[in-house]
Amino acid sequence: MSLLVVGLSHRSAPVSVLERAALTAEAQAELLHDTVAAEPAAEAAVLATCNRIELYADVDKFHAGVAELSTLIARHSGVGLEELTPYLYVHYEDRAVHHLFSVACGLDSMVVGEGQILGQIKDSLARAQVLHTAGRLLNDLFQQALRVGKRAHSETGIDRAGQSLVTFGLEQLAGREPVDVWAKGKRALVIGAGSMSSLAAATLARSGVGEVVIANRTLERAERLARNLTEGGTGVRARAVAMDAVAAELTRADVAVSCTGATGLVLTGADVAAAVGGRACAPAPTVPGQGSTHAVGGGADRPCAEDACVLTPGGPAETPGATAAEPGIGDATAYVQHGALVDNSPAVGGGAAPRTATAVAPAHVAPRTVALALLDLAMPRDIDAAAHRVEHVRLVDIESLAEASADAPMAADVDAVRTIVSDEVAAFGAAQRAAHITPTVVALRTMAADVVAGEIARLDGRLPELGDKERAEITQTVRRVVDKLLHAPTVRVKQLASEPGGAGYADALRTLFDLDPETVAAVSRADHLREVPVAPGNQNDQHHQNDDPKRGRA
């Protein structure tokens, strides 16, 4: 059997494909069961995050395994195999180990060095253990991946090279300003109460926002998060609201972060436009050439007549100090082009609004005031990308984060992590190859012990008058001779088997000593029956930590 991984990620597929291929918790469980039921695979584990879907399996045939795993991913993701195939990558044996270890260290994350992927790997292992689809190989692999990831973060400065997507996203919204300066006193709305939303709320609180409002389908979870923020010593005001209050809260928010497990849009382009237009004396969305309006009172639009207004009819804001190259804002053409990408993206159905771009009038955005900053960390997306075209709105989403992170400078510590990964891959491969020959060595020693026992019994039959002391001495002598004869070759064969290409030594040993294949198999089965360690912190509660399979953003 050999390790095989087939998958797609933000490095191989566009966001639109990743959105459509996203797997629910139920789909992941079905995928695992169907994989181990397939002929080529004996074990399976799935690593599914917003930015990747990877199916790991222990297979006995490479080509059949690739075909079967690819078909299963397509079937359970709902994306046709023909459409999905160009975006799939395949890693086999040592390359598959190297890939997972790199993922665990954050080297393959959208933001290099982020550490949330370790929690996702732990959850993936726990799920496979609960469903009994992970055997010896995948348990060893994922447990070691967790150790390698922790080693990389403790022994290097990879944490300095990367950040969480929350921090990186807020930096993109803040532009040239430090996040704490940009966020100071702002009113923040966080939609969702899972692990990523909790991280976003805590980061905003530490950054100095004046208020954090948590909206969630389960109000109790939102209240618990709000209470934790209030008691966290940051001095931030925090409160919880139901999801039906999002529209009203959005009219008061300066910044909103959304990360839910919804399969449909949480905020459409029209919702965002209404929120900006529904705030008192705030810049409302405009169509070029129609002038600027303010929403007053109940939200009715009227021409702007206030001296303090910084907007000019149909044109850019005249904010003191603003320049034509305001950082992080871009130009109108870029925003319209980005919105056009969504117009061409396939819609994803669900209980919420379909994921198609809402028709929102294009706006002047370079330079412009930003009345509402939006950060969408969900996959599939929570916020309609058409919000890019709503005037006075700044939207940062997974797609724009991917583009920004591609230009981020790499820290010198990344090279140190790569060295760690290479060393750990070599050590893991050696250990696995050595373990592969162990049942054969055990079977050889068992056969030798049986030969000794048979010869002693024959001696007893020929020399019945032999005393106990003499018999014991003869028995011990024969055993020592056999042990000495076997010691050097068995030690050496383990060493040779641990080297690349050493898998054939087990077959050679079985052939040379005519070992019974069933005896070797029995030893292997006994090893597999050993109790499998459960991933730390996941005993019996991994599904209670977060029901959303997309939590975390690696």
Side-chain angles (χ1 to χ4, degrees), residues 125-126 129-130 139 143 531-540 542:
L125 173 59
Q129 289 173 339
V130 169
N139 273 285
Q143 293 279 6
E531 183 178 356
V532 174
V534 177
N538 283 279
Q539 293 89 338
N540 301 321
Q542 63 277 4

Side-chain angles (χ1 to χ4, degrees), residues 352-403:
R355 293 181 180 276
T356 54
T358 306
V360 179
H364 286 290
V365 292
R368 64 179 185 176
T369 59
V370 177
L372 178 60
L374 300 173
L375 178 57
D376 184 0
L377 298 175
M379 182 64 73
R381 71 178 75 241
D382 278 349
I383 303 175
D384 191 344
H388 274 290
R389 302 200 299 267
V390 178
E391 195 163 10
H392 314 302
V393 171
R394 169 74 165 132
L395 171 62
V396 169
D397 54 19
I398 291 293
E399 190 168 18
S400 56
L401 284 176
E403 295 168 357

Side-chain angles (χ1 to χ4, degrees), residues 28 67 181 304 331 471 520 523:
Q28 291 180 49
V181 174
C304 175
D331 56 27
R471 182 184 295 105
V520 178
V523 175

Side-chain angles (χ1 to χ4, degrees), residues 256-273:
V257 180
S258 187
C259 182
T260 73
T263 56
L265 291 172
V266 175
L267 296 176
T268 66
D271 293 334
V272 174

Side-chain angles (χ1 to χ4, degrees), residues 90-143:
V90 175
H91 298 296
Y92 190 55
E93 294 188 330
D94 283 355
R95 291 303 307 169
V97 176
H98 189 282
H99 175 74
L100 181 59
F101 287 4
S102 297
V103 169
C105 293
L107 291 179
D108 199 58
S109 295
M110 183 177 292
V111 178
V112 174
E114 65 87 21
Q116 287 179 296
I117 186 63
L118 286 174
Q120 295 163 333
I121 291 175
K122 183 161 62 175
D123 288 347
S124 296
L125 173 59
R127 183 180 297 108
Q129 289 173 339
V130 169
L131 297 175
H132 305 292
T133 63
R136 181 181 222 173
L137 174 60
L138 293 185
N139 273 285
D140 289 349
L141 174 69
F142 275 68
Q143 293 279 6

